[in-house]
Amino acid sequence: MILLEKLKEAAISVIPVMGVVWLLHFTAAPLGAELGRFLAGGVLLVCGLAVFLLGAEIGVVPVGQRAGSALTSRRNLPLLLGAGFVIGFFITVAEPDVHVLAQQVSAVDPGISHLVLVGMIAVGVGIFVAVALGRIVFQISLRLLLLGFYGLIFACAAFTSPAFLGVAFDAGGATTGPMTVPFIMALGVGVAAVRGGDGRNDSFGLIGLASIGPVLSILLLGMLHTGGDGAAQAVAGPRENGLWGHFLALVPETAAEVGMALAPLAGLFAVFRLFLLRRMTRFRLLRVIMGLIYTFLGLVCFFVGVKGGFIPAGGALGRLMAVSHPAWLLVATGVALGALAVLAEPAVWVLTAQVEEVSGGSIRSRVILVTLCIGVACAVGLAMFRVAGGLSLWFFLLPGYALALGLTFVCPPMFTAIAFDSGGVASGPMASTFILAFTLGASGGLGGNPITDAFGVIALIAMTPLIAIQALGILYGRALRRPAASARPEATAPAAGEGTHVE
């Protein structure tokens, strides 16, 4: 049964994170009552993740692929680009991760409006989804676009308010969450399939380009912002009302947020059904509806577990590790949590499965997962090192992105596209909830300024996979060339008296 397979995948993803926190509770950072809520939240997380993955597989992804194919087959460029903007805007407004990040930013610095942040992020994503679709149509080099737009990003970052630097780069990562990634990636696959050309390369890169839009839009907002400087404030958690009462109290608010997330998506599906997918059979339509229902239930369960268990425990764990232990142990804890937390990102599983499918099985999903784990582990470790030392985010972003963009010149194009997509999907719900809460707690425990010290961890999580996946691509390319080079002399000059033979 598919649901049992998804439950197994989700359990394998989440249980290691729970194990690390449980071990820390009994050794270095006793969490008290928070441990029980964390473990209960983990159970909800596993169930929610499994149901969400099932819903995305049968409902969201197929509609995205068919919509992309239908839009491209119309041969109407304004329609394609306009639809790309609308899809990117409404899915981002509906993305729960964006609201989680915006709420945490507003809690730390009330001078930064939650609604303004969400609106600016959505506009940025909409514009760059249209840019990404135009790239596929006109076969524009992804490398040139990345170099040009990241040059613009760093030019704007030099003039923006310091309080917005980390928030802007974090927004680029949080945007690509469990709702955005499956639909936008499927849309790109559909467009690339109809457009022709190098479909393997064109199928990826949309998420990487879409992540640029929020960074630019928030940097521009930072140039105009005249609010506070982000003085550290405590982020209130939900009130205690018994173990399960604690979670049940979160259900109405979470269900409303997820309903807001899915309502625009359901509206888009209805529009596609009326104007683009008229030949969709009743059976397929019922599968889409069931997929949306599963997605709704899965996300509600997932975010109730995250808000009720993972965020409070992450903040408490960060404070305890920062106050009671040396900095090296805080960094080591960050490395362990980063390596395991990326496995619990719903969008990571969607991306790795699509990479294996599009590559015809030549790129195994497990290889991508291991590479992402290494990259995110380094990212969270660097974030803890930055919090402990009070270092500027510039010291990490400038050399990191310089290396990532430099690798685009020697990495196979498809791996470059996968790498920039991976940077977005690795920084999803677990990063914007548990890891960010852990970093905020550590910053508060050390007496730092969260708006400048803690925000930026998602940016580092989004940056390191760019380097790790491209390094994997370079190794993959060399491995392919080596057998071809060794086989060439035998093929051209067989031994005397022998013919060529293929088994």
Side-chain angles (χ1 to χ4, degrees):
M1 186 177 178
I2 299 177
L3 182 58
L4 292 178
E5 295 178 1
K6 300 302 181 185
L7 280 170
K8 181 180 178 181
E9 290 180 9
I12 292 173
S13 302
V14 178
I15 287 176
V17 179
M18 297 172 65
V20 169
V21 175
W22 183 83
L23 180 63
L24 289 171
H25 167 75
F26 288 104
T27 55
L31 294 173
E34 291 289 356
L35 179 66
R37 289 193 288 268
F38 174 78
L39 296 177
V43 174
L44 293 174
L45 203 73
V46 170
C47 296
L49 181 57
V51 176
F52 162 79
L53 290 172
L54 176 62
E57 182 175 311
I58 70 174
V60 177
V61 173
V63 170
Q65 290 177 340
R66 289 187 175 87
S69 301
L71 285 169
T72 309
S73 63
R74 293 291 183 92
R75 306 295 180 183
N76 188 328
L77 183 61
L79 174 64
L80 176 64
L81 300 185
F85 174 82
V86 172
I87 291 170
F89 180 88
F90 281 107
I91 288 186
T92 304
V93 169
E95 178 60 65
D97 281 3
V98 173
H99 291 274
V100 170
L101 174 66
Q103 287 167 2
Q104 293 194 73
V105 173
S106 297
V108 174
D109 186 353
I112 303 176
S113 168
H114 161 239
L115 293 178
V116 171
L117 277 176
V118 172
M120 291 295 289
I121 291 171
V123 170
V125 173
I127 292 173
F128 273 81
V129 167
V131 169
L133 295 178
R135 180 192 81 84
I136 296 175
V137 172
F138 293 108
Q139 297 288 283
I140 301 172
S141 169
L142 178 62
R143 180 196 304 156
L144 293 178
L145 291 178
L146 291 174
L147 290 172
F149 284 126
Y150 273 102
L152 181 60
I153 281 175
F154 283 102
C156 292
F159 298 98
T160 197
S161 167
F164 278 80
L165 180 62
V167 173
F169 281 91
D170 282 357
T175 299
T176 48
M179 286 309 305
T180 309
V181 169
F183 195 81
I184 291 182
M185 286 196 66
L187 184 68
V189 170
V191 173
V194 174
R195 172 61 180 80
D198 193 348
R200 284 166 53 120
N201 293 341
D202 293 339
S203 297
F204 302 100
L206 268 82
I207 302 301
L209 285 173
S211 301
I212 293 175
V215 182
L216 276 175
S217 62
I218 299 302
L219 289 175
L220 292 174
L221 178 63
M223 296 180 187
L224 305 174
H225 181 69
T226 57
D229 60 356
Q233 299 184 20
V235 181
R239 296 182 180 273
E240 185 174 358
N241 189 24
L243 180 60
W244 293 111
H246 170 79
F247 290 102
L248 288 174
L250 294 170
V251 171
E253 178 187 357
T254 304
E257 291 177 357
V258 175
M260 182 184 65
L262 289 180
L265 193 62
L268 284 174
F269 286 1
V271 172
F272 290 158
R273 175 68 176 83
L274 290 174
F275 298 102
L276 294 174
L277 306 175
R278 295 179 181 177
R279 297 182 180 179
M280 178 183 289
T281 64
R282 182 174 299 180
F283 174 75
R284 292 188 181 276
L285 180 61
L286 288 175
R287 281 179 64 88
V288 170
I289 294 173
M290 290 303 300
L292 287 173
I293 293 173
Y294 289 150
T295 301
F296 173 81
L297 295 175
L299 284 177
V300 170
C301 191
F302 182 89
F303 281 105
V304 166
V306 165
K307 290 181 179 181
F310 269 50
I311 287 181
L317 184 64
R319 284 190 297 273
L320 289 170
M321 293 301 299
V323 171
S324 306
H325 300 282
W328 69 265
L329 189 57
L330 177 66
V331 173
T333 303
V335 169
L337 290 175
L340 297 174
V342 69
L343 293 176
E345 296 289 2
V348 166
W349 291 92
V350 175
L351 174 70
T352 54
Q354 199 155 7
V355 168
E356 185 167 341
E357 178 184 349
V358 172
S359 66
S362 61
I363 306 173
R364 295 294 183 184
S365 60
R366 290 182 180 179
V367 176
I368 300 291
L369 282 173
V370 170
T371 307
L372 285 175
C373 286
I374 295 172
V376 175
C378 294
V380 182
L382 288 174
M384 295 304 107
F385 179 74
R386 188 173 80 87
V387 168
L391 301 175
S392 170
L393 188 60
W394 280 113
F395 294 149
F396 302 90
L397 292 182
L398 281 177
Y401 274 101
L403 177 58
L405 294 172
L407 289 174
T408 63
F409 291 94
V410 293
C411 179
M414 187 175 74
F415 273 92
T416 294
I418 293 172
F420 279 85
D421 282 354
S422 301
V425 302
S427 49
M430 290 301 295
S432 59
T433 55
F434 183 74
I435 298 297
L436 180 56
F438 179 80
T439 311
L440 286 167
S443 176
L446 293 172
N449 184 351
I451 200 70
T452 55
D453 294 343
F455 289 101
V457 61
I458 302 177
L460 294 177
I461 291 174
M463 181 188 73
T464 49
L466 311 184
I467 300 170
I469 297 295
Q470 289 192 98
L472 173 66
I474 294 171
L475 295 176
Y476 178 81
R478 290 180 178 176
L480 287 181
R481 289 193 295 268
R482 195 174 298 119
S486 60
R488 194 174 299 119
E490 297 178 3
T492 56
E498 296 181 358
T500 58
H501 178 67
V502 179
E503 296 184 357

